[in-house]
């Protein structure tokens, strides 16, 4: 059992435990070890306080109550399910819908194309979706969807990423992690790995969403505060993908040979970096790597020294998303953000905790 981070403990009491039955998790398209059956997945735990005081109600939003079992719920996934995070996220939503007896869950996938995701959600609305759960690809550009949903008073819950809109007007709530805090915790792990001195590169996530922005700002702010002796000498986007993580790291090795730390804003980019370092003849631990997500593939690289630490970002949203929607439909007040706590993995716990990663 992994112990939550000290900041998570200080920031919040653990008040809501929701177990995930994310069975049947598929395999990653580019890693034979990815996506093992995720029946022992670690539950999401809600922080307290979690956003502002609960204030959004069914009547305030203007929505109509309906029976989830007979109603229609739309789920919009943003990215190709080659990424273990997205595989686990979709599996969790579908598994919980089945568990609750929701007979009309319509799921779409934007295939990492924002225009397609917008079109997908518009189609879900046209097909009669009475509520929407959206994992946004980008934070901006949702006005066409929000206008159509608002006209029909369709409640929207966003998971994992936020949209830049007004809570309880354009959407009900956001459910996800504190990404700024994840960046700070990644910085603390980098300080530990480097002993407070060194040159660090950042593999940035995709632009246009709050995850990349917050994980970057949290990391940089914490480094300035905790370790002035660590300098960021390189940063470039690798779009949250393993292939680009490898490509950018190969360039990094040539252009910045003095780098001895690498912060990857998701595990897939970090795993691509590991492949690049191995290809360049580097030894495990020669460049300290800290990543964010918590996939089994990344956590399994910690005992051998290729990755120093992984900050979790739990993708198992199904139970919490449907419980939040149920509470909302029953007239309960919902906060604008439902923030979950995340664990972290390092050499002290990775070996015994890898089975609970996704």
């Amino acid at each position: 059992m992994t112990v939550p981070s000290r900041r998570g403990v200080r920031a919040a009491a653990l008040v809501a435990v929701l177990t995930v039955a994310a069975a049947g998790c598929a395999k990653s398209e580019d890693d034979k070890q990815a996506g093992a059956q995720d029946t022992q997945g670690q539950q999401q735990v809600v922080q307290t306080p979690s956003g502002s005081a609960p204030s959004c109600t069914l009547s305030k939003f203007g929505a109509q109550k309906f029976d989830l079992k007979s109603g229609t719920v739309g789920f919009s996934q943003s990215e190709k399910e080659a990424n273990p995070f997205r595989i686990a996220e979709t599996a969790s939503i579908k598994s919980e819908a089945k568990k609750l007896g929701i007979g009309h869950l319509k799921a779409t996938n934007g295939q990492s194309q924002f225009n397609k995701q917008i079109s997908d959600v518009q189609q879900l609305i046209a097909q009669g979706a009475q509520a929407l759960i959206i994992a946004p690809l980008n934070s901006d550009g949702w006005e066409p969807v929000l206008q159509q949903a608002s006209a029909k008073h369709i409640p929207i819950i966003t998971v994992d990423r936020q949209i830049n809109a007004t809570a309880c007007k354009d959407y009900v709530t956001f459910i996800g992690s504190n990404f700024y805090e994840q960046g700070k915790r990644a910085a603390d792990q980098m300080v530990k790995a480097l002993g407070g001195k060194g040159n660090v590169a950042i593999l940035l996530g995709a632009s246009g969403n709050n995850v990349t922005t917050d994980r970057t700002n949290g990391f940089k702010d914490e480094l300035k505060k905790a370790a002035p002796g660590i300098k960021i000498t390189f940063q470039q986007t690798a779009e949250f993908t393993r292939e680009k993580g490898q490509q950018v790291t190969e360039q990094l090795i040539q252009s910045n040979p003095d780098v001895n730390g690498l912060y990857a804003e998701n595990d897939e980019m970090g795993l691509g970096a590991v492949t690049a370092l191995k290809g360049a003849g580097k030894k495990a631990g020669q460049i300290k790597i800290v990543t964010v997500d918590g996939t089994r593939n990344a956590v399994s690289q910690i005992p051998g020294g290729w990755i120093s630490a992984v900050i979790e970002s739990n993708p198992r949203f199904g139970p919490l998303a449907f419980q939040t929607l149920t509470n909302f439909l029953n007239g309960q007040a919902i906060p604008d953000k439902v923030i979950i706590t995340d664990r972290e993995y390092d050499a002290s716990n990775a070996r015994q905790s890898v089975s609970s990663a996704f």
Side-chain angles (χ1 to χ4, degrees):
M1 182 69 177
T2 310
V3 179
S5 77
R6 54 186 173 83
R7 282 198 174 88
V9 173
R10 292 172 182 171
L14 306 183
V15 297
V17 179
L18 295 164
T19 304
V20 172
C25 191
K27 289 186 177 181
S28 167
E29 295 176 357
D30 58 0
D31 195 314
K32 299 297 183 181
Q33 297 179 359
Q37 293 295 316
D38 197 13
T39 57
Q40 302 298 319
Q42 178 72 18
Q43 62 224 3
Q44 286 186 339
V45 179
V46 181
Q47 287 187 7
T48 303
S50 190
S52 63
S55 61
C56 191
T57 62
L58 190 70
S59 59
K60 185 175 180 180
F61 190 81
Q64 296 293 318
K65 182 175 181 178
F66 66 92
D67 184 354
L68 275 174
K69 291 187 177 181
S70 59
T72 300
V73 177
F75 171 60
S76 172
Q77 179 57 274
S78 56
E79 298 179 17
K80 299 175 182 178
E81 293 187 17
N83 184 328
F85 184 97
R86 298 300 171 189
I87 294 171
E89 185 177 58
T90 297
S92 178
I93 295 289
K94 290 182 176 180
S95 176
E96 187 67 11
K98 182 177 181 180
K99 176 182 175 182
L100 295 175
I102 298 172
H104 302 286
L105 177 71
K106 296 181 180 292
T108 63
N109 191 304
Q111 299 296 318
S112 303
Q113 301 172 42
F114 187 58
N115 288 340
K116 183 180 186 307
Q117 186 176 29
I118 294 294
S119 177
D120 285 347
V121 179
Q122 290 175 320
Q123 186 175 19
L124 289 171
I125 294 172
Q127 291 173 345
Q130 294 164 277
L132 294 166
I133 300 171
I134 300 175
L137 182 63
N138 293 338
S139 296
D140 292 319
W142 284 94
E143 289 79 9
V145 163
L146 298 177
Q147 290 172 5
Q148 292 182 27
S150 177
K152 296 185 176 183
H153 302 288
I154 299 171
I156 296 174
I157 292 174
T158 71
V159 296
D160 177 48
R161 295 177 184 173
Q162 295 178 258
I163 57 175
N164 291 325
T166 304
C168 208
K169 176 181 176 292
D170 301 311
Y171 68 100
V172 174
T173 189
F174 157 74
I175 302 174
S177 300
N178 184 328
F179 306 114
Y180 183 83
E181 183 72 14
Q182 288 176 341
K184 290 175 64 178
R185 292 167 62 196
D188 288 339
Q189 287 286 357
M190 185 63 75
V191 172
K192 179 181 176 181
L194 292 179
K197 296 181 179 180
N199 296 321
V200 171
I202 302 177
L203 296 186
L204 301 167
S207 59
N209 66 77
N210 69 302
V211 177
T212 297
T213 301
D214 289 351
R215 285 180 183 169
T216 302
N217 290 340
F219 184 81
K220 289 182 175 180
D221 290 349
E222 183 69 3
L223 277 190
K224 289 179 182 178
K225 175 183 176 182
I230 294 179
K231 306 299 181 184
I232 297 171
T233 58
F234 176 95
Q235 65 177 43
Q236 184 172 322
T237 183
E239 302 291 339
F240 284 135
T241 69
R242 190 182 303 196
E243 180 183 10
K244 290 188 178 180
Q246 179 178 346
Q247 292 173 353
V248 173
T249 304
E250 288 170 345
Q251 298 168 10
L252 165 68
I253 294 169
Q254 297 298 319
S255 63
N256 293 66
D258 59 342
V259 162
N260 45 23
L262 188 149
Y263 167 46
E265 293 183 343
N266 82 338
D267 286 354
E268 287 296 284
M269 294 188 296
L271 290 167
V274 169
T275 299
L277 295 179
K278 289 180 177 179
K282 302 291 185 181
K283 296 180 180 180
Q286 190 171 345
I287 294 180
K288 307 297 184 183
I289 298 177
V290 176
T291 71
V292 182
D293 265 353
T295 65
R296 293 179 190 178
N297 288 328
V299 175
S300 66
Q301 295 296 320
I302 294 176
W306 285 104
I307 292 178
S308 296
V310 176
I311 308 302
E312 182 190 54
S313 194
N314 195 329
R316 303 176 179 99
F317 287 99
L320 187 52
F322 282 110
Q323 185 60 60
T324 301
L325 179 58
T326 298
N327 292 345
F328 176 75
L329 293 175
N330 287 338
Q332 295 185 30
I334 306 298
D336 61 345
K337 296 178 182 178
V338 180
I339 304 300
I340 62 174
T341 64
D342 293 308
R343 304 171 298 162
E344 56 190 57
Y345 304 89
D346 58 22
S348 70
N349 60 28
R351 196 179 301 275
Q352 60 268 36
S353 301
V354 67
S355 62
S356 64
F358 61 90

